[in-house]
Amino acid sequence: MNKKITLILQLLLFCAVHASAQNRTVSGKVTSSESGAPLAKVTVLVKGTNSTSTTNANGQYSIAVSGSSPVLIFYFDDYATKEIPVGAGNTIDVKLEAKIENLGEVVVVGYGTVKKSDVTGSVVSLKAKDLTPGANVNVEQTLLGRASGVQVYQKSGEPGSAMSVKIRGASSITAGNDPLYVIDGMPVNNLSPVTGSGAGFVATPNPRNPLNSLNPSDIESIEILKDASATAIYGSRGSNGVVIITTKKGASGRLSIGYNAYYGVQKVSNSLEMLTGQQYKDVLNAIIDDGGGVPSERVVNDPVNVDWQQQLYQNASVQSHDLSFSGGKDNTKFYASLGYFNQEGVVKNSGVKRYTARMNLENSVAKKYAFGFNLNTSYIKDNYNSIGLGVNENGSALYSAINYDPSFPIYNADGSYNRSPFMTTIDHPLILINGQYANSDGFRTFGTIYGEYFFNPDISLKVKGAGDVNITQRNTWLDPSTILGLPTGGIASINTGNVNYYMGEATLNYNKQFGKDHSVNAVVGSTYEHFASNSFGGNGRGYALPDLKYDAIGSGNSELNQIGSGRASTKIVSFLGRVNYAFKDRYLLTASVRADGSSRFGPNNRFGYFPSGAIAWKMHEESFLKGVQFIDELKMRLSYGIIGSQSIANYLYITTFSGGGNAIFGGDRYTSLAPSRVANPDLKWEEAKQADIGLDFSLFNRRLTGSIEYYDRRTSDLLLDLPQPLSTGFGVKTQNIGKMKNTGIDLHLAGDIFRSSNGFNWNMGVVFSTVKNEVLSLGPLSQILTGGAGFIANASIITPGQSLGSYYGYEVLGVWQTDDDFSTAPTGVKPGDLKFRDLDKNNQINADDRVILGKSMPDFTYGITNTFEFKRLSLSVFIEGAQGGSVLNNAAIDSYFPVSFRRNKLAEPYLNRWTPDNPTNKYPSFVNPTSQGQQTINSRTVEDASYLRMQSVRLSYDFRLNNKLIKGLQAYVTGQNLFTITDYSGIDPAVNAIGNDILKIDYSSYPMTRSFLLGVNVQF
């Protein structure tokens, strides 16, 4: 009996040990055999079972196996499936090879996807890892310097401020130059719900960016469509290029949880060097001694040295937290995320907070059906300073800080603010920063829902609906402590607005392979889009209890209240079609057409038609290149197409009315309406015809890849305001006149400089773009003078043969010296005055002596990324820059032609000014700055804006954890805007204060920031 019991126990122990040996966990890392990069979302399957796993963002996986000889199957799109026996080990690292027929990744194009190797148009494809890292509140910041042909610059350092994005230059003068953004198939309506500002509050013309509502951490990929062949499928909205954003999707397998967070500090990267209090006293008194200024404005007080700019600045924090969930089972996949972003401004009382939530869901069976939705919602809290273009008492705190007297103390003995007696027309900087401000609450929800049904494996019908609801309320307050708020006991304003968009779309898709040589992919469809906006605003004055501010706007003097409202709507109906044909997977043809009807145009030209065509030739498939070993891929592309623009104001084709004058009849007041514009039912689309030729290549076993292309885009029927006889009652009439062209070269290179088996790799990426803009015709006009800010007017000229954004003013030859021949000098000129070029030799400097001094658009832009990897350590260094552009420096204008003698001045020119003992030819004496008039736009105030910037440096370490809880852990540190090499003397060569993407003026600009971030990325 005891022997039987012993035998049974031995048998059970053997089974337990055997089972323990057969049930175990296998882990490892999956990488690309070409680049060595980790591959995320690779499906790992135990052959013959339902046990699956998925690699994380670092390519790591973990899966339970059992049995005597288990086999793992590794599956990933565009890579060859690999089967590996497990054997006795518990760690299996795998390298997957790209499929020969899919060496290029799949890219998203309008209304579909194609293999990159089959793209016939000009398309830049960027994955999440390719985007610029750092404290990015919007997607446009992630594109800076990353794509050839795409010029991106940050206009301001203000948190959440608008970016400038131009694809292959400016294509219009008045109809807008921003590209179309498409998020998960929904064209984004980028109108701001609230425009303008509250009463007395001079808001910046650079509004908050509407794309702030999309969390950059939710982005999977970005495709940028540049040529007409790629963009014509979007018709009237594709004239400035298209940016297609695809958000992250779920993957089948276990629940994956990701947490990405960073915290950082920001500081002002540069500020203006103004005169200190002592320098201010010495220089201004010396100028008075030399015969300038007014003796009564002599500085007689003992100066203190107040740096007013630094009084407004602060070191600011920035933090971001993103939590994501993804997974799937059977045919259903999901991705969900929560995000929080908080960026304080480096100027006090400014900043942005954002809360986002996203849910993407899809259920599909290949070649049978698919349906799902993508939903994004956000709440954004903005705090604004007054950073507008106002002057004197209407100026911002930054405007005041640049100009305010630095010799008087900030506070009086009793702690109250000390106003300089010589600064009566501009306010105390700290009073403005603390007593003149605004905030807003923005709620935005947008998303798409779609369904696709396959009648057979070749034909499917896809129906999509999309909606976008954007609601904002902005509150502004001018405290009675300010010059503007004092007479009325404070000014409070509330402006509310909403912008709504919805779209319905249906497309029929056809995809068929005919034998071995022919394949056709086609789509036809129709879309309906509706845009609507509503606004309401009110303001009040005369508050007995100013502490209530805008929270009790009706508690002021009711006789001073003002209200206003507005409503507008636009509709677009479209029909589209495209055919892609491939012969022997070697010769490719694409043809597309779109017809758009827009309610913004008159009944005589309501529809526009936009065709395009492209061909591509895979030359590496030809027999004469088969033997060339170093060529992996070589493809030539040619395209031509017509695209349009409907980015104009509503109702220009009809006569509209606005409030007219008041009349008194019988003692009663009557209001009136008056026509505000001339009707033009013949208004039609601006039309751009674009040709493109490009060469894509991959060489040396894909160690060097890239593309080079040349484009020529010509825009006609420009929408311009043509002057009208005053007898018509109107000064201008909007008409289609004028032509313009853009030409240039785009270059993209990516190369593995060094590959090694010991874990060290060095990869470099380069983007380089040129653009030359030229106005060809303005119809009956010879020129248009435009552009200004504050006291500046007509800073730019638009004229045939020149670029948009050309600065128009006076050329400075130097400074008049004591031994010069003054017989040719204008009357009143003395030694130490600026010497201007007298073009017509009439011994006077006037408007006829103006010349083109430069242009805002650079000749070329570039970005260079170097990535160094050694085992678990990675270092990425990114520089970007521009060459050949210019910017107008208003701080220089205020110093060369001061509005008031006692306002502060730039230190460099005044400390080195001309005197008999310092006969410099660079700076004048400033004794009589206006002796020849106000030549504010000149070659000293228009400066070179070329620069090279160390935009970001990122150092990361991958801990490669793979336990039951944490599947991956990466820590990183990032520095942004570390240094800038430039000759520009202002805040930053990229700033632009006037809300214009063409002309650039640095006017009391919000300073750029330098940031240092510490972050972590955890996968559970």
Side-chain angles (χ1 to χ4, degrees), residues 620 625-634 697-705:
H620 62 279
L625 288 180
K626 285 291 186 181
V628 182
Q629 298 297 321
F630 69 89
I631 296 178
D632 307 314
E633 183 178 357
L634 190 64
F697 53 86
S698 174
L699 309 173
F700 309 110
N701 193 25
R702 299 188 64 79
R703 291 195 65 162
L704 178 63
T705 62

Side-chain angles (χ1 to χ4, degrees), residues 688-710:
K689 299 176 181 179
Q690 182 169 335
D692 193 276
I693 179 171
L695 186 70
D696 303 327
F697 53 86
S698 174
L699 309 173
F700 309 110
N701 193 25
R702 299 188 64 79
R703 291 195 65 162
L704 178 63
T705 62
S707 65
I708 183 170
E709 50 197 319
Y710 172 81

Side-chain angles (χ1 to χ4, degrees), residues 858-872:
D859 297 325
F860 62 86
T861 58
Y862 56 89
I864 303 173
T865 304
N866 282 280
T867 302
F868 307 91
E869 295 179 340
F870 180 69
K871 296 183 178 180
R872 301 182 182 186

Side-chain angles (χ1 to χ4, degrees), residues 97 129 140 334 337 345 358 398 428 522 587 708 725 745 769 806:
E97 297 180 357
K129 62 182 178 60
E140 294 167 321
F334 73 91
S337 72
R358 169 167 286 276
L398 287 170
H428 191 288
Y587 311 106
I708 183 170
I745 295 173
S769 308
S806 292

Side-chain angles (χ1 to χ4, degrees), residues 153-155 792 795 805-808 853-858 884-893 936-947 982-994 996 998-1005:
Y153 69 87
Q154 190 165 342
K155 300 179 182 180
I792 303 170
S806 292
Y807 298 97
Y808 193 50
L853 303 170
K855 56 184 176 55
S856 59
M857 298 184 192
S886 299
V887 61
L888 179 59
N889 186 348
N890 182 71
I893 291 177
T936 55
I937 316 302
N938 62 63
S939 56
R940 296 293 174 86
T941 58
V942 175
E943 299 188 45
D944 182 12
S946 301
Y947 70 92
T982 181
D983 290 332
Y984 179 59
S985 66
I987 290 289
D988 191 277
V991 297
N992 190 4
I994 64 172
N996 190 317
I998 299 175
L999 192 67
K1000 294 172 63 177
I1001 299 179
D1002 181 357
Y1003 187 98
S1004 307
S1005 299

Side-chain angles (χ1 to χ4, degrees), residues 58 134 137 316 347 351 436 544 598 606 613 619 687 762 799 967 979 1007:
N58 300 315
V137 66
V347 177
Q436 181 171 286
S598 172
R606 183 140 287 169
M619 294 187 290
E687 188 176 81
W762 174 15
T799 187
K967 303 303 180 184
F979 64 82

